[in-house]
Structures are given as structure tokens and as C-alpha cells.
Amino acid sequence: MYSLSRLRLHSSLLSRRGRSLQDACVRPNRLGAAASSHAFVRLTATTSRARRLDFLSIDKKWQERWQSDSAGTAAAADDTKPKSYVLSMFPYPSGTLHMGHLRVYTISDMLARFYRMRGHDVIHPMGWDAFGLPAENAAIERGINPADWTQSNIAKMKEQLRTISVSFDWDRELSTCSPEFYEHTQRIFLMMYEKGLAYQAEAMVNFDPVDKTVLANEQVDANGCSWRSGAKVERLKLKQWFFRITAFKEKLLEDLGSLEGGWPERVLSMQRNWLGKSFGAKIKFPVLVDGQGDPNVEIDVFTTRPDTLHGVEYVALSLDHPIVLKAAEKDEALRKFLGEASSLPPDSKAGYKLSAVRVSNPLHTIDKENPHVSRQLPVFVAPYVMSDYGEGAVMGVPGHDARDLAFFKENVNPPSIPLVIQPELISDSVEATDNIVADDNAQAVTQEGILNARCGKYQGLQSQEAAKQIVADLKQVGRGDFVEKWRLRDWLISRQRYWGAPIPIIHCAECGPVPVPKDQLPVQLPKIQGSWLKGKKGNPLEASEEWLNTECPSCKGPAKRDTDTMDTFVDSSWYYLRFLDAHNREAPFSLSSARPVDIYIGGVEHAILHLLYARFIYKFLASSELFPETGRSDLPAEPFNRLLSQGMVHGRTYSDPSTGRFLLPSELDLSSPDKPLITGTQVTPNVTFEKMSKSKYNGVDPAASALKYGADAIRAHVLFAAPVSEVLEWDESKIVGVQRWFSRLWKLVVDSKEKLESASFAPSSLEISPPASVANLSNDDATALLSTHKTIQSVTHCIENNTYSLNTVVSDLIKLTNLLSSSPPASSTILYQSLSSLLRLVAPIAPALSSECWEILHYTDSKNGSSVDSCSVSSVLAAPWPSLPLTPEQADSIAARSGQVVAVQINGRLRFTVTVPQIPSTETDEKEYLLGHILDSDEGQMWLRERNDWDKRRRVIVVKGGKLVNIVF
């Protein structure tokens, strides 16, 4: 081992040869890896003032060391520790990380490192959502096998992940396209099939004409387009496989209550809305065909507003309603309309009037004297009526429903439209004016109110009371009843594509559908040459004769495999359980491993699809033999205890102000970043921050950013730039602020190391007991201890209880760094305690820099040239989370030196505390003095002026010698 003096000489010689000291520190040499590493530490410590901090060299050093240390050393579970399962939503292996990946993995890695330092046995795995249409489409385009394309992308993304210093447990890695994984997806399918929860049925489905496959309702947007290809979805009647998610609808809704406080309220609201439980009535409309009534033919309509029944002007039917299909047998124009309407968006106003079919208002049976309900009403066929909701029929009340009004104006265009609900009782004398003019400005009256004179015997009743009475009367005559309805429909899982988990069913002409025996699982995908895929359309499985044709497990006769594959959301609905027991060959997971995720991190765009399906499958599995008895208790079976939904990352976007066209980087002159110009002109482009996409030329590669600024810098920046739940506007020019903080921290460590060495200080323990007395501490020592104490409190509370404010964690750490740099404590003990605490607080955010600083702080050269570790913990990442250095009484005592801590309540609830200078002896009005300083504080401005109107305060109460102020508004 070289001595410090010899290393300095060595560096001088290297400099003469034109090589930088930085190169000498990071290049491997004949000293060996370990010696080179320690040489780098000591050289850096000695010369840091003379050179710039090299973030990339530090990243390289520590990433290589972590990779070497973890090779072949999977961490064993420790049952003596509390367990924390921290999981980020696994990515689709597209081959390139995007900034959303950086944000979610930075957050999950910070949390995983934090809980490890808190003494938890942490599970923090990573896998790949590897099946799906993008890989198959890319493979077809390139003429290669989807498996080869997927595996090459996984390799690239794993290498990129290493550049951002994430600490995943790669021993648990899984890929959903691996037979070892989808064998168990097929097992779960068969378990559901045995319980009647997986079934095949003919139904109207959404068909994507571009991706050539069916889609679940959730995968079609509000405009009737495919969620992935963007194509207009067609409605076809096909035989498909479904999961009976509706069997769990009550539990899916009810158990959302147990997630309050752990899940964002907006996600809970989205889940409730998608489940869509509503209470209403089923109303039976008598049907007349060619003017003749048929007592056996009725149209059932579900409505949540039976109080508007007197205002019905038409009935609309879905495209596949039995009456429509029967009418189409004789009506060529109707058949043409149905063919065109299947591709129209669900909000289309298009309609086709059935010439031979009309209905009568069911209220006519009750109130025969009322002329307003005695008319025969037209029946339309309309794309906006969904066949799988309600009864495939709606009653059109244009006066009191905006959608009905738009449809009625488009297809009937009447001069006026009747109203039957008014905000107050309307007299008989103005009955004739109970209309709205059907012009462009007409608006439906959608709120509840009082039934007017058109409603006969129900006139004067309030809407809710009238609804109950109307349905009760209709029930008496067999024309209606109270019912509940759900928006949720069974989950369509069939996909007519190759790259997915095959459905383990064999179809036999004699026996019908037969499950594949469990000992024959997995049903593996046949290997298809990429050259065969190129230019082909349809499902390749149907053309793979050797794979397709098989033997019936029941009768041993000839049979065929099911050629549908499962929706990729089936894989992601249970993958989090596989991570817990990733190498189990016999079952998806073991009884002993089954448990929910403690913290789940991912984008809010998955708030409906993925989370709903995962909750459903978890509830099913929790009721099966795969779960321990505790999993089948009365406690809500939920897969994710806490959900952290991060906002999107937007990139800087440039567009031409005259055309709005997005500009390529080559079209921009950014020589003055603050004043961008369109190349070759003096025109300033429009600059906005928008969702990153290739079409807007605003995407940023996080791996490239890490290699430019350092992984720790971009990790800290992504946490600091915005609260977790909000949109992050990625602005690389602001990363310099984080780098300046890191430079101050680096200098603080080096300077402190020199100071501690000169004082011959060697820590005996990381944790130092609170001082016996704080009365004799110098101001700098007391301030450093108190600031360290408060920072530990704040950072710990934020990460454990207020994760959406991780940006304040970085802010707190910057403040503590600045304080220790500007006013370092005189006591070596306090200096070491504050600095070692700061490095441990920084470690989850900036693991490489904190590790380097930890070595500088703790490693010294002995006289014989060897390196001595002055700390029992060799790595900051293995060190325990810092404990509080002061008791509450000591913290209050120090805080009182420069002032008095005042707790401020608003209407009796504690909102914030503020330190107020001691009241001068000449001051007579204690209340005014305290309020002046409270209002001057940032917290006072926010709580007393922004969130409340200070001028409208009713009373101010000062108690406990000014330690508590209660303000009543």
C-alpha cells in the first residue's frame, strides 16, 4: 500500500506526463482494485480543493463495487427484522428507459434504501411485463421472433438501469414471457375455470382493425379508439374468454374504504366510478309493431331518473338489441346503418328510426286521462346505447338529459321540447310554457326539482319522492321495479395474437372444451421464425398445425388447442405475488410467502385497468388454497397497502409560432439557452412543457442524463424539482443547483475530515448519546445539534408518513448542509455526529456520493501506509438510520436560546410552530409582539393569509406564557 506522501508524488509525476490526477484516481493499475479504490479516496480528500468534484468517476467506482459485491450473493430473508415490500410497477421492455422510469425507480429505490437503513428486511424486485402487441408488431415489422426482440430489449434496459444506481434484487427477476412464469398464469386460469370464474361466451366485443384483436371495454377511450393503436374500434359479435370479475363487484367496491389514507383519493374515486354502482328502476315500455300491441313484447329500460318519465320523447336501442336484429332481417337500410355504425364513436348522435316499431309510455296504464303520456313514441337505433349496460335500451328525455337532447335535435329537430321538472311548482295557467325552444342555445335541465302540471297526479312532488311513488305504482301494474346496476362488466381476456400466454383449453368435437391437465403445463408458444411473421396477418397460432392439433385429454380423440392468448393485464394482475417466491416450480407462490405489497409506486394512468384487475385476482387467490388461513379471514384482501402515484414528466417543447409545428433540435439555435431562436432567423419559438413523445421531439434519455450529470445528481433533481404527485417539468439547466449542493457537501466532508484528524478524533460509535446538559454548549454547537435533530425528525416523518412531499426532504438536507458549512460546530463530537447523520440522510437519494464521502470521513492512513477504518460500519448504506441526538426537553432548551418556540393553533387545531425571539423587557404588548413575528414567518403567511383571511379573525388567545397561540376564525 502506498503512503500518502508517495501517492502525492505519484500524482505529480502523472501530471507531468499530461495525465490528470482524476485519471490516476479511477484507472486500474498494478496496485489492484482495492488499493486503487482507497488511493482514490485519500487523493480526493487531500486535493479536493484544487479540483472539481467528478460525479461520473464516483458513479463508476461505486456502481462497479456494488455490482461486484452483489454477484452471486442473494440476500437471505431475516425473520427477526420487520419486513417491507417496496415495489415499482414493472416496465414493458421497449429497449429504452424514459423519464417516467427514472422518476418511479428513483422513488422506489429511495424508499427501499431508507427502510433497509431503518433495519427492515426489504424486498425490492424488478421484472419485465414482456408479452404484448408492441413486441409482436415490432417483430413483424423487422422479420424477427418476438422473443428475440424482447430479450435484447431487456438486456439493454438492465444495463441502463445500472447507470441510475438503483438497488433491485435481481435474484428475484422475472419475465412474463418466460414459460416458468406463464405456466403459473395458466394454473391460475385453470383454478378460475374450475370455479366458473373463467368462461367462454358469445358477446358484442370491441375489435381493433389495426392490431387485429379484441379489446376489453377499459382499453377503448372516450372517442371509441383503441388505447394502443388509436384505430376506431369496431363492434363485432364473437365467442371470447372472460373472467367473471362481476362476481367480486361488491367486495371490490366495499374494500376501497380500507384503502383510504393509503391510496390517493383520486384513484379511489376513479375505481368507484368505474365499478359504477347505481340505484334506479327497470321500466317496461309496451311495444307496438305496425300499430298493433303484443303483450309478450316489451322493452326494458334502466333509469336512475324515473321522476322524468313524463318527459320521455323516444326510446333508443343498442345495435345488437333483439328487436333491432329482427327488424334488420327485413330492412336493408337498417342493415347498412348497422354496418356503418359499428365504427362510430360512443358519443355519436347518429340514429336510425324504426319505421314499424313504436312504444307507449307505461304511465298511460296508471293515468289514462293525462294526454302527455298517451302518445305513441318513436324507437331509434343508436350507437350511444351500450348493449352491455342496463338493458341495451334507454328512454330519451331531451328536456332533462344533455345527451338525449343532442340526439333528439339531430334526429327529430322539434320546434320545442317539454320540461316536466321545475325548480318550483308551476300553476296550470302557465302549463303551456313548460317547454324549451330547440335552438342552438337550448340546454337540458338536469337538476332535480318539483314535478309540474304535465305530470298529472304526481304534480307538486319533489323529484326523489316522485321517483319512489312512480316506481311503486308501476310495480303494482307489472310495469316497473326498483333495481341496482353496475357499470362494471366481466373482463374480456381473449387476444387473437401470438405473443401472449396461451389459454390452456383444448377443444374436442366430442367432449367440448377440456382443460389442459396440470402436469402438461405450461402450454408453450410454438417457435415461429421471424421471417414467417413478416408481412403476415391474423393469428400465427392458427397456422401452426403441429402445435394446433393435439389429443383430447378426456377421450384421447383428435382435438385442437385454443388459439387465443391472454390479455397481458392477466400477467400483471398477479406478478407481485410471484416476486415473493420467484423460483417455485410447483405453484405460483408458497403459502408462507403470500402477502400484500407495502408500498406500490407507479403512474396514475394505471388507476383503473391494472389496479382493478390486480385487486380482483388477489381477492380470488386470497380465497384459494394458495393463501394461508389468515389470507382468507374477514379482513379486506387487498394487494397494495399503500399506493404512491407519481405525476408525469414533461419535456421542454419548441414549436413554430406561425404554424404550431413542433421543431426538431436541428431547427433550433440554442447558443443562448435563455433566448432560443429558430435556426437562421430571429424568430423566437414557442416554448412549453408537454408530455414527452417522439412526435414532439422533447424526449430525454435518463441514462444519457446520468452519464452527463451523474446518477446522484439526476436522482436528487427528479425528487427536488416537484412534489411526487405533480407533473415534473424536466429542465436540465436546473441540475446545476443540485451539483452545487453536492460540491458544498463534498467540501464540508473534506474540511471536517482535516479538522477531526488534527484533533485526533476517532468515533467510538455512530450513535452518540444526548449530552448530559446543553446549557454549556457554544452557540454553533447547539445550533448544529438542534438543526441535525430537526432534520432527522422532518426527513424521517416525510418519508414514512408524507411520501408525496419528497421534494421537502432534499430541501431540508440542503439547509442542513449549508448550516454546517457556514457555522461548523467547534466540538469534534458534535461535528462528527452532525456530519455522519447528514450523510446517512443523504444516502437513499445519492448513494454513490454519500458512500464516497463516508469513506473520506472514516478512512485514514496509518504510519506504515495501511488504511484504517475508524468506523465499525464500512458503508454508509449499511449504517443505521440516524437517531435523534437530543431529548425533546433539550431541543426546546436550545431553541429557547435564540427565541421561544410558539405552537400556533387555528380553531383549536395545531397547524405549525415558529420560533419567536425573546420578548424584550421594554415590550409591553406580548400578544402583538408574538403575532407580528408569527405573521412574518413563511408558515404564518401560508396559514393565516393564504389559507385563511387574517382580517376575518374573531379572536386570538395566548396561553402558557406565549408558548401557545390559538387563532379563531
Side-chain angles (χ1 to χ4, degrees):
M1 185 73 71
Y2 277 16
S3 67
L4 181 60
S5 60
R6 290 183 69 188
L7 284 170
R8 288 172 177 163
L9 175 61
H10 182 57
S11 69
S12 176
L13 291 172
L14 289 173
S15 297
R16 293 174 192 174
R17 295 177 185 174
R19 290 174 57 189
S20 69
L21 178 60
Q22 169 187 324
D23 291 337
C25 295
V26 298
R27 291 186 181 179
N29 55 47
R30 57 195 174 95
L31 292 174
S36 178
S37 172
H38 292 309
F40 176 69
V41 172
R42 294 194 298 279
L43 282 168
T44 300
T46 306
T47 61
S48 63
R49 293 178 181 175
R51 73 175 186 87
R52 185 181 177 187
L53 175 60
D54 191 334
F55 298 105
L56 302 186
S57 295
I58 292 175
D59 275 353
K60 181 176 184 293
K61 168 189 170 180
W62 287 100
Q63 287 168 2
E64 289 177 352
R65 184 179 294 186
W66 294 328
Q67 190 171 27
S68 175
D69 291 346
S70 64
T73 56
D78 188 343
D79 293 334
T80 65
K81 295 180 177 180
K83 297 189 181 301
S84 288
Y85 186 1
V86 179
L87 182 64
S88 47
M89 294 180 183
F90 67 168
Y92 170 73
S94 61
T96 307
L97 292 178
H98 56 68
M99 294 307 296
H101 290 134
L102 171 66
R103 196 175 196 191
V104 68
Y105 301 146
T106 297
I107 294 168
S108 75
D109 190 60
M110 176 192 178
L111 293 171
R113 293 183 186 276
F114 166 77
Y115 282 105
R116 286 193 198 103
M117 296 178 74
R118 295 283 278 172
H120 290 217
D121 183 15
V122 176
I123 298 174
H124 185 222
M126 172 51 65
W128 309 96
D129 193 7
F131 270 140
L133 285 172
E136 186 170 350
N137 289 342
I140 292 172
E141 181 182 337
R142 292 165 175 80
I144 61 176
N145 189 287
D148 296 336
W149 170 256
T150 301
Q151 290 304 322
S152 66
N153 287 345
I154 288 174
K156 287 184 227 172
M157 291 181 72
K158 282 183 73 172
E159 183 59 30
Q160 285 185 302
L161 284 172
R162 195 171 73 87
T163 67
I164 60 174
S165 299
V166 287
S167 58
F168 290 123
D169 181 357
W170 290 109
D171 185 59
R172 298 178 185 269
E173 181 183 9
L174 61 82
S175 178
T176 59
C177 68
S178 166
E180 289 77 19
F181 180 87
Y182 69 73
E183 169 183 356
H184 299 294
T185 302
Q186 292 171 344
R187 287 183 187 276
I188 292 171
F189 176 95
L190 292 177
M191 289 170 61
M192 300 183 73
Y193 185 77
E194 291 170 2
K195 301 287 186 182
L197 296 173
Y199 67 94
Q200 199 174 25
E202 201 171 66
M204 286 292 289
V205 296
N206 308 300
F207 186 79
D208 185 327
V210 171
D211 281 333
K212 305 295 183 185
T213 188
V214 299
L215 304 172
N217 288 340
E218 296 90 339
Q219 294 165 328
V220 180
D221 67 19
N223 297 316
C225 297
S226 167
W227 73 306
R228 193 180 293 279
S229 73
K232 286 287 185 182
V233 167
E234 299 173 359
R235 298 282 289 172
L236 303 177
K237 195 157 192 172
L238 297 173
K239 197 170 188 179
Q240 300 290 290
W241 285 98
F242 294 85
F243 280 168
R244 205 179 301 277
I245 189 174
T246 53
F248 287 76
K249 61 181 183 290
E250 288 287 359
K251 276 294 182 184
L252 287 168
L253 180 62
E254 177 186 330
D255 291 351
L256 288 173
S258 69
L259 299 174
E260 291 178 357
W263 283 35
E265 183 53 44
R266 64 171 175 165
V267 175
L268 295 175
S269 177
M270 292 166 78
Q271 289 269 310
R272 290 189 180 99
N273 291 339
W274 190 261
L275 292 167
K277 184 178 183 178
S278 60
F279 297 94
K282 181 192 288 187
I283 309 295
K284 297 179 180 293
F285 282 77
V287 175
L288 299 95
V289 179
D290 293 327
Q292 300 297 314
D294 185 341
N296 297 318
V297 181
E298 295 174 326
I299 293 178
D300 291 337
V301 169
F302 172 76
T303 179
T304 58
R305 293 293 305 272
D307 57 314
T308 64
L309 195 55
H310 290 84
V312 175
E313 291 293 308
Y314 68 93
V315 167
L317 305 179
S318 65
L319 304 182
D320 62 340
H321 193 280
I323 290 178
V324 175
L325 297 180
K326 186 173 182 179
E329 295 174 0
K330 301 178 180 180
D331 190 336
E332 183 179 350
L334 174 57
R335 291 196 297 271
K336 181 180 178 182
F337 174 82
L338 294 177
E340 296 171 348
S342 63
S343 61
L344 293 175
D347 61 348
S348 170
K349 303 183 187 71
Y352 183 90
K353 184 178 179 181
L354 297 178
S355 59
V357 181
R358 299 180 75 80
V359 295
S360 61
N361 194 314
L363 286 173
H364 182 56
T365 306
I366 299 171
D367 191 0
K368 296 183 182 297
E369 304 301 320
N370 188 341
H372 301 297
V373 294
S374 63
R375 296 175 294 125
Q376 292 184 4
L377 304 173
V379 177
F380 289 88
V381 184
Y384 82 81
V385 183
M386 304 303 295
S387 60
D388 55 358
Y389 181 74
E391 304 294 335
V394 300
M395 62 182 207
V397 187
H400 299 286
D401 185 281
R403 182 190 59 187
D404 295 350
L405 175 60
F407 180 86
F408 198 57
K409 286 166 60 180
E410 179 77 14
N411 290 276
V412 177
N413 193 27
S416 64
I417 296 169
L419 295 175
V420 296
I421 306 289
Q422 298 285 359
E424 57 185 18
L425 185 62
I426 304 298
S427 66
D428 292 341
S429 61
V430 294
E431 179 183 348
T433 64
D434 297 338
N435 300 285
I436 54 175
V437 178
D439 58 20
D440 291 340
N441 298 317
Q443 291 186 342
V445 180
T446 58
Q447 68 270 29
E448 295 181 347
I450 305 296
L451 273 65
N452 65 18
R454 287 182 177 271
C455 302
K457 60 180 284 190
Y458 305 102
Q459 178 183 356
L461 295 179
Q462 195 272 340
S463 283
Q464 294 186 22
E465 182 184 359
K468 293 177 182 177
Q469 189 61 54
I470 288 171
V471 176
D473 290 347
L474 288 173
K475 185 176 180 180
Q476 292 290 325
V477 297
R479 293 293 184 189
D481 203 352
F482 298 98
V483 295
E484 73 174 31
K485 288 289 179 181
W486 294 74
R487 184 172 185 264
L488 181 69
R489 290 293 170 267
D490 281 343
W491 175 12
L492 189 158
I493 66 159
S494 288
R495 297 295 178 269
Q496 291 70 47
R497 296 300 293 256
Y498 166 73
W499 195 233
I503 289 177
I505 295 292
I506 292 171
H507 297 277
C508 174
E510 298 295 328
C511 307
V514 181
V516 172
K518 292 178 182 177
D519 61 1
Q520 294 181 21
L521 297 178
V523 177
Q524 293 198 43
L525 290 169
K527 291 186 177 179
I528 296 179
Q529 294 300 318
S531 57
W532 186 94
L533 284 171
K534 191 172 181 66
K536 297 291 177 66
K537 295 182 178 180
N539 185 353
L541 295 180
E542 295 176 351
S544 182
E545 294 291 334
E546 184 178 350
W547 179 88
L548 178 63
N549 295 300
T550 187
E551 178 184 89
C552 174
S554 180
C555 71
K556 308 305 179 184
K560 293 183 182 294
R561 296 190 185 280
D562 197 303
T563 57
D564 281 354
T565 54
M566 286 185 245
D567 180 9
T568 55
F569 280 107
V570 178
D571 302 318
S572 61
S573 70
W574 77 278
Y575 80 106
Y576 49 90
L577 288 166
R578 183 64 178 173
F579 275 135
L580 298 168
D581 198 6
H583 306 295
N584 191 329
R585 291 181 175 272
E586 305 302 320
F589 49 88
S590 62
L591 283 170
S592 59
S593 68
R595 57 162 297 181
V597 176
D598 291 301
I599 307 176
Y600 196 37
I601 307 106
V604 74
E605 65 269 20
H606 299 294
I608 295 175
L609 288 175
H610 164 57
L611 293 177
L612 182 66
Y613 295 153
R615 294 181 63 225
F616 159 55
I617 293 296
Y618 189 85
K619 289 180 183 299
F620 165 69
L621 292 173
S623 65
S624 74
E625 67 275 8
L626 289 177
F627 259 63
E629 289 296 330
T630 54
R632 300 196 293 270
S633 68
D634 292 334
L635 295 174
E638 288 292 336
F640 313 118
N641 291 336
R642 286 176 63 193
L643 177 68
L644 190 61
S645 294
Q646 88 280 358
M648 301 186 72
V649 182
H650 287 186
R652 190 187 298 273
T653 310
Y654 300 92
S655 60
D656 189 319
S658 61
T659 65
R661 182 178 64 85
F662 295 112
L663 299 172
L664 287 160
S666 60
E667 298 178 280
L668 295 163
D669 178 359
L670 300 177
S671 53
S672 297
D674 294 338
K675 296 180 180 179
L677 297 172
I678 298 177
T679 302
T681 73
Q682 293 301 307
V683 177
T684 301
N686 292 330
V687 182
T688 57
F689 282 90
E690 300 188 38
K691 179 182 176 181
M692 290 185 178
S693 71
K694 293 179 181 178
S695 63
K696 296 175 183 176
Y697 315 113
N698 65 345
V700 177
D701 180 354
S705 290
L707 294 174
K708 182 178 180 182
Y709 300 101
D712 285 354
I714 64 169
R715 285 166 61 104
H717 178 65
V718 83
L719 293 172
F720 182 57
V724 169
S725 61
E726 295 182 10
V727 168
L728 167 61
E729 295 183 347
W730 185 255
D731 186 351
E732 290 194 352
S733 66
K734 295 181 180 177
I735 297 178
V736 66
V738 170
Q739 290 181 322
R740 290 190 186 118
W741 166 42
F742 284 172
S743 296
R744 288 194 298 274
L745 177 60
W746 175 270
K747 184 178 184 301
L748 170 63
V749 170
V750 173
D751 291 347
S752 299
K753 173 65 174 179
E754 293 178 356
K755 182 176 180 180
L756 293 173
E757 279 189 335
S758 65
S760 300
F761 175 83
S764 58
S765 171
L766 282 179
E767 305 299 347
I768 300 173
S769 301
S773 172
V774 296
N776 297 324
L777 293 178
S778 68
N779 285 338
D780 285 345
D781 287 349
T783 300
L785 264 184
L786 182 61
S787 296
T788 303
H789 181 93
K790 287 185 174 180
T791 304
I792 295 171
Q793 274 185 323
S794 173
V795 170
T796 305
H797 174 78
C798 183
I799 297 176
E800 286 189 326
N801 303 304
N802 191 24
T803 319
Y804 284 98
S805 297
L806 292 180
N807 57 316
T808 65
V809 169
V810 179
S811 176
D812 288 342
L813 296 175
I814 292 173
K815 290 177 183 176
L816 181 58
T817 303
N818 292 343
L819 182 136
L820 295 176
S821 298
S822 60
S823 303
S827 164
S828 296
T829 300
I830 294 175
L831 174 61
Y832 173 78
Q833 186 174 20
S834 297
L835 189 53
S836 70
S837 296
L838 174 59
L839 290 179
R840 283 177 279 166
L841 295 174
V842 170
I845 299 168
L849 178 65
S850 59
S851 295
E852 188 68 22
C853 289
W854 190 262
E855 278 200 348
I856 292 172
L857 184 63
H858 292 102
Y859 279 84
T860 57
D861 287 313
S862 65
K863 293 180 179 178
N864 62 8
S866 64
S867 179
V868 177
D869 183 0
S870 63
C871 175
S872 59
V873 179
S874 60
S875 167
V876 68
L877 298 173
W881 193 251
S883 58
L884 295 174
L886 298 169
T887 65
E889 293 75 19
Q890 289 174 329
D892 288 345
S893 176
I894 293 176
R897 284 191 180 190
S898 57
Q900 177 172 301
V901 177
V902 180
V904 181
Q905 294 180 341
I906 296 177
N907 296 332
R909 296 186 64 183
L910 179 64
R911 290 305 185 187
F912 63 94
T913 61
V914 63
T915 301
V916 174
Q918 293 288 344
I919 301 176
S921 56
T922 56
E923 188 71 45
T924 56
D925 194 333
E926 177 189 55
K927 180 185 293 186
E928 290 301 318
Y929 180 84
L930 292 174
L931 289 177
H933 285 281
I934 290 171
L935 286 168
D936 284 343
S937 69
D938 292 340
E939 295 89 346
Q941 287 287 332
M942 179 180 70
W943 282 103
L944 302 178
R945 294 198 186 279
E946 296 175 13
R947 298 192 180 183
N948 291 283
D949 188 343
W950 173 247
D951 293 332
K952 293 183 179 180
R953 66 191 183 280
R954 290 190 292 166
R955 205 163 34 143
V956 176
I957 305 164
V958 179
V959 294
K960 296 184 179 180
K963 292 183 178 180
L964 175 65
V965 175
N966 184 27
I967 301 166
V968 181
F969 285 93

